[in-house]
């Protein structure tokens, strides 16, 4: 990593836990032998705030967190193709409010599951390779983006089943795209990152008519004039290795590579010349033993805390927006030794779930302060 | 020795200083400042180091405190930004929360009557859980099967044992696509842009099977990485640099210490400081410049600048802006053969519009032309006029007198120091005349002169009619004039395209000097004239000159520089046809009659110059060339053209062109074809011609004349329709070019737009398919063999052209690097094109990139030269029926071929060429 120039030093958080909150393991599930890559709470619809979904192997499962550490299995979906391995799942909803799950993985097929009727709603074939992440537009939850090994990011309308935009081409990623995220308030903006070590910020402002068109499209989805967005508005080289997770924190970006840390940075774009700009690295959140790729972090609804697991099964919970960063808690359990692929924080951060390489799901609940 | 000692001393000193700085507390800032400035002021070489000890400490202290300040500024800044962002996030999440709360009610509002199973399961689970809570475990399987929706939820981690499992819902299998990387369709090849290069960039390849990451780089690339480490100076560093030097002054010591503290080299620091100072000065100048007054932006705009950007952006080969194939900023190639100015008979007769010069009955221009004959008699009058005018001038402003007196001192050299700027005395000694580079100042002077002229012009209306150069001058005068003219020419030639402007300037010098002479000042002051004091004739002659240029000055005033430049272009394009120039180039700017008048004025000047020229041909040529073309380079080309026009080679395809070409084929046999880039030769290409050296033919894009022996001659085919090796184009793996070939034509459309004039017989050329994109519809589908495949929609006959294999043009070096990665993934889309380029269809290409390899293929690929570019065409090797999958032999080099290349499988590319053409050659002969 390049040396940081004078006057641009980030504030690095201290690894001494603040003991602001303490968490305790309240449940542990073993889904199967295959690794679980994704666990995610529903933040789209307040009715289902306590429901979460996992993806691993050829299975997508819906659970519910109940009081006292109890977890209820609500639904389970199994791909008939045993070789399918789901890497990602995201909550979404149809325009009528039906809760959807959108999952994707090795096969490169996006599965849109109607959890309201427990049926497959649609399957999107189009990606040329496996899908590494799917995210839902929080303002319009029937739009999802997918990041794929085929070096593209694609925007889909799950209601009409249309691939609206493909973010790839001359300015696109040069290797697998590992993560993608919608800007929380700027509906036109997404950020993606991947194995080409870059984070790219894209704008679909000029293509927004196509997004609108996709809602009223009645012809075959394959006839939709899918557009290529070839040039991002910003390319950031914050990391020097795979960037496997990025999330917007307001206008800032929280991203991670395999360097044992989360990095919060501000993209400073030049309005006149798209694609150029500088990066101001503001804060760093150390995460020891977090040097393998495909370990992702998650935030609570209000982006107050971010939780990330590491290679040795420990979880670091950081207060994202405080200056300097505060380590809320470091969670470890003697039996948790397998790499944690993803965590999920509940709406208020009181529950933390993590899914592991060995197929286990752990539930941690905050201990009421004495 | 001494130097070494000095260095040692210095480094030792630095160590000490460092130690001191660490150990000692910071001295008070003020005292530090004082000592350091005094030390640095003396700028001590060797001996001075002893006293700089404390000052070094002081400097460190200053730097240190600055650093601290920067650090605290930074943390304050971050804190502020974080707080701002937190507020924003709060707003955002509030809104999102509202939305999620609204969705809770959504279903109810919609009320489609369906049951939300997810909600139901949730409720079941809660019920079950609370049931457990209350009845504490005696309600086994309480919630199962009773509703119609199969088992509901399972509680995990609760105290009860779970008997029933949730029945999994099956997702029906969907066949997955063969893998591919997202690619962009290209209808023509593109040259790789720099940011696409993998050379010098580290790429980590993740091996899916091995589950390990491999860093694809070699030592050579690492060094490139190191070079990129060199960082730019950031704002804060600049700040520290600037403030420190401001406070403690500039000295080697300061720089060294700064370098230490900023962990850079002191030369870097020094360079940066100089840059900063330069920038500051530039900023000051800009500010001052703005303060001086409003500058009309259009004055600075001239045609040259506009044409410059045009030349940069416009591709003359593809006739598009921002050409992706040949790129921007191509070398400009000027054709040695200038186009004959366009003349169309019928245009001449009719007036072009209400402002046509034909409708202006007796234009000024005509009048002055006619007055040419009478000038000899008028001379005396002219002289008196002028002297009278000069007196007037004198009365008007004493300034000019002063200048004159000054100019007396200047010797025979060019008049550049005199600057007869009556109106504005501000511009004093800009060396416009001499330094051709300083266009800007000369321009401004010229403009000032114009302003002055304009004022004066009112008072000398009489001189208008005298504006004709004498034809009956004495021999002596002529010689003199020629001399002076030549001097002018010399001055002029140093300046580049602005010659016209500058000329007027120079002539103004003449004029003011002449004025002196008239008013009785010493003749020696006439800088332009080596033979001083020649008498009245000379003066008169000069006066005539003067008046003539005064006239021009009037014109100049009304004609903006860019209009003049446009006019000159117009002359180049259309010849002396004011109607066409007005209509095509200057509509809205100048009317036809205005152009006509202007044209005749300049013509007169040329005439007068031609008069001189009879005595000194060289000078004439120069003047002539200058007048019309203006630019140095173009003047040369014009000159050469005259020489080159001597003979026009007659040839047939059997002679020169074909011969040399056949030779080239034989040369090429074992090596790939060579990339063509147009030569700029201005005469028939000799041994040094880049095309000849490179071993390519000259093409229509070359600068050389058509008679160049290295040109490819095209063909004369007629009935054969250029479909066999009988056609020299075909034989040379080239497409026919209607610009070059004699009989190649093709009709377009349904004939409603007119049929092209048919050349030769009624046989259309069949060797222009790539050029015209006459390709077959290719479909993309799941291959019967492996992965994706390309299929043909309609059936075609043997040798039919199917389509082009397009892609990114990359260098061989780049291809080697990319190939390493592609080979790992066992899918390569590289295609050798010529000695410079490889086509890579990996991310950009067309559907034909998916055509698979087969040792017994139904297609073949061929590299064809199309209008100077090599392109890859895919042709049918046999009759192919509709819907058949396309295969061709990738022709991997035997030692580099992957294992599968022997059996038909997988997508990839061909790594060798030359072979197909050889193979074809055998077949046809």
């Amino acid at each position: 990593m390049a040396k940081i120039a004078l006057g641009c030093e980030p504030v690095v958080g201290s690894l001494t836990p603040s003991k602001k909150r303490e968490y305790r393991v309240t449940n542990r599930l073993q889904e199967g032998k295959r690794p679980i890559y994704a666990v995610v709470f529903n933040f789209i619809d307040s009715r289902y705030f306590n429901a979460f979904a996992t993806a691993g192997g050829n299975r997508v499962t819906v659970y519910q967190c109940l009081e006292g550490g109890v977890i209820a299995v609500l639904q389970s979906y199994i791909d008939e193709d045993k070789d399918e391995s789901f890497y990602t799942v995201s909550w979404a909803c149809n325009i009528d409010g039906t809760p959807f799950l959108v999952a994707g993985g090795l096969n490169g097929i996006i599965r849109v599951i109607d959890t309201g009727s427990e049926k497959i709603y649609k399957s999107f074939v189009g990606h040329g390779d496996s899908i590494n992440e799917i995210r839902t537009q929080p303002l319009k939850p029937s739009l999802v983006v997918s990041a794929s090994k085929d070096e593209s990011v694609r925007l889909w309308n799950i209601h009409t089943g249309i691939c609206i935009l493909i973010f790839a081409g001359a300015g696109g990623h040069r290797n697998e795209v590992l993560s993608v995220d919608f800007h929380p308030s700027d509906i036109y903006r997404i950020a993606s990152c991947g194995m080409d070590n870059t984070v790219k910020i894209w704008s679909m402002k000029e293509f927004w008519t196509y997004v609108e068109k996709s809602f009223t499209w009645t012809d075959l989805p394959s006839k939709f004039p899918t557009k290529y967005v070839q040039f991002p508005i910003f390319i950031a080289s914050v990391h020097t290795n795979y960037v496997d997770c990025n999330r917007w924190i307001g206008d800032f970006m929280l991203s991670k590579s395999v360097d044992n840390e989360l990095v919060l940075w501000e993209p400073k774009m030049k309005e006149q010349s798209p694609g150029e700009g500088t990066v101001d690295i503001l804060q760093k959140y150390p995460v020891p033993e977090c040097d393998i790729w495909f370990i992702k972090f998650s935030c609570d609804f209000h982006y107050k805390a971010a939780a990330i697991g590491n290679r040795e099964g420990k979880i670091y919970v950081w207060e994202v927006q405080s200056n300097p960063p505060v380590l809320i808690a470091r969670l470890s359990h003697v039996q948790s030794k397998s790499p944690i692929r993803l965590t999920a924080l509940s709406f208020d951060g009181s529950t933390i779930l993590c899914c592991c390489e060995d197929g286990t799901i752990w539930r941690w609940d905050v201990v009421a302060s004495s | 020795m001494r130097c070494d000692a000095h260095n040692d001393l210095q480094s030792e000193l630095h160590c000490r200083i460092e130690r001191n700085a660490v150990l000692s507390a910071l001295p008070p800032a003020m005292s530090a400042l004082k000592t350091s400035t005094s030390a640095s002021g003396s700028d001590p070489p060797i001996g001075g180091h002893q006293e700089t000890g404390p000052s070094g400490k002081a400097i460190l202290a200053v730097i240190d405190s600055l650093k601290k300040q920067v650090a605290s500024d930074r943390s304050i800044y971050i804190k502020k930004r974080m707080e701002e962002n937190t507020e924003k996030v709060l707003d955002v999440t509030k809104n999102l929360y509202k939305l999620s709360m609204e969705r809770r009610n959504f279903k109810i509002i919609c009320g489609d009557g369906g049951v939300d199973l997810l909600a139901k399961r949730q409720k079941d689970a809660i019920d079950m859980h609370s049931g457990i809570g209350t009845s504490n475990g005696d309600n086994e399987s309480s919630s199962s099967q009773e509703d119609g929706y199969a088992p509901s939820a399972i509680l995990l981690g609760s105290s009860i044992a779970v008997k029933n499992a949730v029945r999994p819902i099956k997702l029906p299998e969907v066949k997955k696509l063969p893998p591919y990387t997202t690619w962009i369709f290209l209808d023509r090849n593109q040259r790789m842009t720099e940011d696409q290069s993998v050379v010098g960039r580290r790429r980590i390849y993740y091996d899916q099977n091995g589950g390990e990451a491999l860093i694809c780089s070699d030592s050579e690339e690492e060094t490139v990485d190191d070079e990129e480490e060199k960082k730019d100076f950031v704002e804060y560093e600049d700040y520290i640099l600037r403030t420190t030097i401001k406070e403690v002054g500039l000295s080697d010591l300061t720089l060294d210490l700064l370098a230490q503290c900023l962990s850079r080299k002191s030369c870097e620091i020094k360079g940066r400081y100089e840059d900063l100072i330069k920038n500051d000065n530039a900023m000051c100048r800009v500010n001052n410049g703005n303060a001086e007054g409003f500058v009309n932006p259009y004055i600075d705009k001239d045609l040259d600048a506009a044409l410059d950007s045009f030349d940069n952006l416009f591709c003359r080969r593809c006739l598009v802006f921002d050409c992706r194939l040949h790129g921007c900023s191509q070398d400009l190639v000027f054709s040695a053969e200038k186009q004959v100015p366009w003349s169309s008979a019928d245009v001449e007769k009719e007036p072009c519009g209400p402002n046509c010069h034909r409708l202006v009955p007796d234009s000024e221009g005509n009048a002055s032309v006619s007055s040419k004959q009478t000038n000899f008699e008028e001379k005396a009058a002219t002289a008196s006029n002028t002297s009278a005018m000069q007196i007037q001038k004198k009365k008007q402003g004493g300034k000019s007198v002063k200048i004159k007196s000054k100019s007396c001192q200047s010797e025979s050299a060019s008049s550049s120091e005199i600057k007869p700027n009556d109106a504005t005395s501000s511009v004093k000694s800009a060396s416009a005349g001499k330094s051709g580079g300083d266009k800007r100042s000369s321009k401004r002077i010229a403009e000032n002169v114009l302003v002055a002229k304009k004022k004066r012009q009112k008072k000398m209306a009489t001189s208008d009619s005298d504006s004709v150069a004498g034809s009956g001058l004495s021999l002596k005068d002529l010689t003199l004039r020629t001399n002076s003219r030549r001097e002018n020419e010399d001055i002029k030639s140093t300046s580049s395209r602005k010659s016209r402007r500058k000329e007027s300037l120079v002539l103004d010098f003449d004029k003011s000097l002449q004025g002196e002479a008239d008013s009785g000042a010493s003749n020696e002051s006439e800088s332009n004239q080596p033979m001083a004091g020649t008498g009245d004739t000379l003066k008169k002659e000069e006066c005539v000159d003067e008046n003539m240029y005064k006239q021009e000055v009037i014109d100049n005033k009304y004609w903006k520089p860019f209009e003049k430049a446009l006019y000159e272009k117009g002359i180049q394009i259309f010849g002396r046809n004011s109607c066409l120039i007005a209509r095509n180039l200057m509509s809205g700017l100048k009317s036809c009659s205005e152009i006509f008048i202007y044209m005749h004025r300049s013509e007169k000047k040329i005439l007068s110059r031609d008069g001189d020229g009879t005595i000194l041909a060289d000078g004439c040529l120069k003047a002539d060339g200058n007048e019309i073309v203006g630019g140095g380079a173009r003047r040369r080309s014009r000159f050469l053209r005259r020489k080159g026009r001597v003979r026009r080679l007659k040839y047939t395809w059997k002679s020169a062109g074909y011969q040399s070409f056949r030779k080239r084929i034989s040369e090429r046999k074992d090596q790939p074809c060579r990339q063509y880039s147009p030569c700029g030769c201005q005469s028939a290409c000799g041994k040094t011609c880049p095309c000849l050296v490179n071993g390519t033919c000259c093409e229509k894009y070359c600068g050389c004349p058509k008679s160049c022996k290295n040109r490819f001659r095209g063909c004369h085919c007629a009935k054969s329709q250029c479909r066999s090796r009988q056609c020299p184009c075909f034989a040379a793996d080239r497409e026919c070019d209607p610009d070059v070939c004699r009989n190649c034509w093709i009709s377009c459309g349904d004939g409603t737009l007119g049929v092209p004039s048919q050349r030769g017989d009624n046989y259309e050329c069949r060797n222009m398919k790539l050029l015209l994109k006459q390709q077959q519809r290719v479909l993309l589908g799941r291959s019967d063999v492996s992965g994706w495949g390309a299929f043909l929609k309609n059936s075609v006959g043997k040798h039919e052209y199917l389509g082009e294999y397009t892609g990114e043009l990359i260098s061989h070096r780049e291809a080697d690097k990319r190939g390493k990665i592609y080979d790992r993934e066992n899918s390569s889309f590289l295609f050798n094109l010529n000695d410079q380029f490889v086509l890579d269809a990996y991310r950009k290409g067309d559907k034909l990139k998916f055509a698979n390899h087969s040792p017994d293929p139904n297609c073949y690929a061929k590299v064809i030269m199309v209008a100077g570019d090599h392109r890859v065409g895919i042709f049918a090797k046999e009759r192919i029926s509709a819907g058949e999958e396309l295969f061709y032999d990738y022709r991997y080099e035997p030692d580099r071929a992957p294992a599968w290349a022997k059996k038909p499988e997988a997508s990839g590319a061909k790594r060798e060429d030359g072979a197909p053409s050889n193979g074809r050659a055998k077949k046809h002969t």
Side-chain angles (χ1 to χ4, degrees), chain A residues 268-284:
Chain A
K268 289 184 167 169
M269 289 170 221
K270 285 183 189 155
E271 294 303 322
Q272 276 76 32
S273 49
E276 287 176 37
T278 53
V279 165
D280 190 4
I281 298 176
L282 299 170
Q283 302 204 125
K284 286 189 174 181

Side-chain angles (χ1 to χ4, degrees), chain A residues 48 118 126 151 170 174 266, chain B residues 81 116 121 180 196 843:
Chain A
Y48 313 116
E118 296 186 345
E151 302 184 355
R174 289 279 157 269
E266 180 183 9
Chain B
R81 291 294 293 152
D116 181 354
R121 305 272 177 229
Y180 71 92
Q196 304 291 303
R843 291 195 182 90

Side-chain angles (χ1 to χ4, degrees), chain B residues 169 531 577:
Chain B
I169 299 139
M531 297 170 77
N577 186 330

Side-chain angles (χ1 to χ4, degrees), chain B residues 4-300:
Chain B
D4 288 348
H6 164 75
N7 283 346
D8 286 346
L9 203 132
Q10 211 166 21
S11 60
E12 196 183 289
L13 186 77
H14 284 173
C15 296
R16 213 179 52 223
I17 290 165
E18 260 180 295
R19 232 180 300 125
N20 286 348
V22 173
L23 293 175
S24 67
L26 297 179
M30 277 313 291
S31 67
L33 282 185
K34 268 175 200 159
T35 48
S36 64
T37 37
S38 64
S40 64
S42 63
D43 203 15
I46 300 166
H49 269 283
Q50 240 55 25
E51 307 113 48
T52 53
S55 98
K57 221 193 289 174
I59 293 168
L60 272 181
V62 170
I63 296 173
D64 236 36
S65 67
L66 281 172
K67 269 181 135 175
K68 276 191 181 138
Q69 194 200 328
V70 164
S72 74
D73 281 358
R74 172 69 178 169
S75 62
I76 291 167
Y77 169 79
I78 292 181
K79 198 166 196 100
K80 203 180 112 229
R81 291 294 293 152
M82 291 300 291
E83 278 162 10
E84 282 168 9
N85 195 53
T86 304
E87 265 171 48
K88 181 157 184 181
V89 171
L90 203 66
D91 284 351
V92 167
T93 50
K94 247 184 211 163
N95 179 39
L96 290 180
Y97 183 66
K98 209 182 85 204
L99 285 172
S100 68
M101 291 307 279
E102 279 165 9
R103 277 181 204 117
R104 173 190 285 272
N105 309 320
F106 214 73
K107 196 82 180 187
I108 300 154
I109 297 161
C110 288
D112 60 352
V115 182
D116 181 354
L117 288 177
L118 183 64
K120 184 178 161 22
R121 305 272 177 229
Q122 262 186 320
K123 197 172 156 288
D124 288 351
I126 293 167
D127 289 348
M128 202 154 63
H129 183 59
S130 53
I132 294 156
T134 51
S135 57
N136 218 355
D138 62 342
N139 62 334
E140 45 193 76
S141 73
S142 63
S143 62
S144 58
Q145 270 90 16
E146 72 223 357
D147 52 25
Y149 302 104
S152 188
I154 306 169
L155 298 187
L156 296 168
S158 70
S159 49
I160 55 152
V162 176
K163 281 196 175 160
N164 54 330
V166 166
R167 185 168 57 86
I169 299 139
K170 291 218 166 135
L171 305 176
E173 191 174 341
V174 175
K175 202 175 178 193
K176 68 175 202 175
L177 294 177
Y180 71 92
T181 301
T182 305
W183 54 283
I184 303 290
F185 171 75
L186 281 189
D187 68 338
R188 61 197 290 254
N189 295 336
Q190 277 185 5
R191 202 165 288 188
M192 181 192 78
T193 51
E194 217 31 65
D195 61 325
Q196 304 291 303
S197 174
V198 297
V199 175
R201 254 165 245 193
R202 206 170 56 144
R203 185 186 151 118
I204 307 163
Y205 171 76
Y206 181 73
D207 192 340
Q208 193 86 50
N209 305 321
E212 54 168 350
L214 307 160
I215 294 171
C216 301
S217 66
D218 47 37
S219 54
E220 173 196 8
E221 282 170 1
E222 296 298 346
T223 58
V224 177
D225 274 348
D226 285 347
E227 268 170 42
E228 282 171 351
E229 287 290 294
K230 226 183 198 176
K231 291 171 290 141
D232 286 338
F233 277 74
V234 296
E235 212 177 306
Y236 280 106
E237 279 175 300
D238 286 346
Y239 168 73
I240 290 183
L241 186 55
R242 212 191 286 249
T243 326
T244 311
I245 291 177
K246 209 164 99 191
E247 287 191 12
V248 303
L250 180 63
S251 71
D252 287 347
L253 185 58
T254 323
L255 290 176
D256 285 345
L257 290 176
L258 275 169
Q260 268 176 27
C261 293
L262 303 178
S263 45
R264 286 177 184 275
K265 292 192 194 88
S266 64
C267 55
E268 261 184 287
I269 296 279
K270 195 170 179 197
R272 180 62 185 181
Y273 182 67
E274 277 158 11
D275 283 354
L276 283 175
I277 296 295
K278 229 181 279 170
N279 285 351
D280 287 351
N281 291 344
M283 287 293 281
C284 288
R285 234 177 288 139
V286 167
N287 290 340
N288 290 344
N290 287 345
E292 263 173 27
F294 173 74
V295 181
N296 185 355
Y298 293 103
I299 285 179
D300 284 339

Side-chain angles (χ1 to χ4, degrees), chain B residues 371-382:
Chain B
S371 71
K372 199 168 163 186
Q373 275 74 28
T374 63
N375 60 355
F376 196 68
E377 280 78 11
E378 279 177 30
K379 253 188 189 169
T382 314

